[in-house]
Amino acid sequence: AQTVTQSQPEMSVQEAETVTLSCTYDTSESDYYLFWYKQPPSRQMILVIRQEAYKQQNATENRFSVNFQKAAKSFSLKISDSQLGDAAMYFCAYRSALRGANSKLTFGKGITLSVRP
Amino acid sequence: GAVVSQHPSWVICKSGTSVKIECRSLDFQATTMFWYRQFPKQSLMLMATSNEGSKATYEQGVEKDKFLINHASLTLSTLTVTSAHPEDSSFYICSARQTSSYNEQFFGPGTRLTVL
């Protein structure tokens, strides 16, 4: 079974600075997707970024980028120029690409990010 | 992006009553929907996966007779908490998967259930 580990329960960053959130996963599969989701106080889950395992290039979305290390099974999220609106709980998630539409998301425990003004 | 709605957003009920939560994909057809439960400051716990027109697949430890899931159409799934008890109080989130090359998954805003 696949597992996703987020070992840091909380982190804090100064506004306008950069922060990196860590995530490791375990799988025996070669084809899969990795995600970072944001859950603000409203509790609406928002997709931040997605990475396909077959792609060597790290995904980027504006101020958000990932460091995907497939061999190390590591998938960290970097948030640049942090903003107050980035304060939220962030979840790393894994999904197999082999099981089609029924494939389940496996979530990490999440990390609470606070942004200091 | 695609929109998933949930209704109600917040419900309070008495112990022993049943509560139905609706999940709708507003602008796409979802052959697969997922129901999650989340406690404060914790991760999402998958309860069941439902496919349109067939029985839901429940995760281990989730009582099928207590959490009834119906996925009657490509845009609607319902979760009914039967004979609710205070320990069922939680935040319930549905998610719908869009058929595409990525099988993108979109989340509803959640329903807060409080059982008195």
Side-chain angles (χ1 to χ4, degrees):
Chain A
Q2 293 78 27
T3 58
V4 177
T5 302
Q6 293 178 257
S7 56
Q8 306 154 302
E10 295 180 349
M11 284 195 77
S12 180
V13 64
Q14 189 74 38
E15 193 176 6
E17 295 191 345
T18 296
V19 64
T20 298
L21 310 183
S22 301
C23 173
T24 59
Y25 60 95
D26 190 25
T27 184
S28 58
E29 298 177 334
S30 59
D31 197 9
Y32 50 87
Y33 302 104
L34 295 166
F35 306 86
W36 278 98
Y37 285 92
K38 171 184 178 181
Q39 188 179 41
S42 68
R43 303 189 80 169
Q44 171 73 59
M45 293 286 285
I46 302 166
L47 176 65
V48 175
I49 202 164
R50 173 185 57 231
Q51 175 79 43
E52 293 90 341
Y54 67 87
K55 289 187 177 179
Q56 292 186 335
Q57 187 173 9
N58 289 324
T60 62
E61 286 288 342
N62 301 312
R63 297 183 296 107
F64 299 89
S65 62
V66 298
N67 183 3
F68 173 48
Q69 301 291 326
K70 192 172 184 179
K73 295 180 182 173
S74 171
F75 183 62
S76 61
L77 174 69
K78 185 171 81 172
I79 305 174
S80 304
D81 185 25
S82 297
Q83 300 175 359
L84 295 178
D86 294 334
M89 199 159 184
Y90 286 82
F91 294 98
C92 179
Y94 169 102
R95 197 181 88 214
S96 170
L98 302 177
R99 301 188 185 96
N102 279 3
S103 183
K104 300 180 287 189
L105 279 170
T106 300
F107 287 96
K109 288 188 175 181
I111 178 171
T112 299
L113 177 67
S114 58
V115 181
R116 304 187 301 275
Chain B
V3 179
V4 176
S5 70
Q6 272 185 249
H7 179 79
S9 57
W10 194 6
V11 57
I12 301 174
C13 69
K14 293 182 179 180
S15 186
T17 62
S18 294
V19 174
K20 180 184 285 189
I21 302 170
E22 291 187 350
C23 175
R24 294 182 184 273
S25 55
L26 298 185
D27 49 5
F28 67 98
Q29 292 186 331
T31 55
T32 306
M33 288 188 172
F34 304 86
W35 286 95
Y36 299 86
R37 183 174 182 176
Q38 185 182 33
F39 292 105
K41 299 289 187 181
Q42 293 189 21
S43 189
L44 281 69
M45 182 190 77
L46 180 65
M47 299 174 67
T49 302
S50 74
N51 288 293
E52 185 264 338
S54 61
K55 290 183 179 180
T57 302
Y58 290 81
E59 294 299 300
Q60 192 172 8
V62 177
E63 299 175 59
K64 302 178 183 181
D65 295 332
K66 181 163 191 61
F67 298 100
L68 300 179
I69 292 172
N70 184 284
H71 192 163
S73 77
L74 287 173
T75 59
L76 173 65
S77 177
T78 60
L79 167 67
T80 301
V81 183
T82 62
S83 187
H85 290 283
E87 57 265 31
D88 299 325
S89 298
S90 190
F91 194 68
Y92 293 87
I93 303 173
C94 77
S95 181
R97 185 162 288 167
Q98 183 179 38
T99 303
S100 68
S101 59
Y102 293 118
N103 288 315
E104 193 71 60
Q105 188 167 335
F106 299 93
F107 289 82
T111 297
R112 184 183 302 279
L113 170 63
T114 301
V115 184
L116 302 176

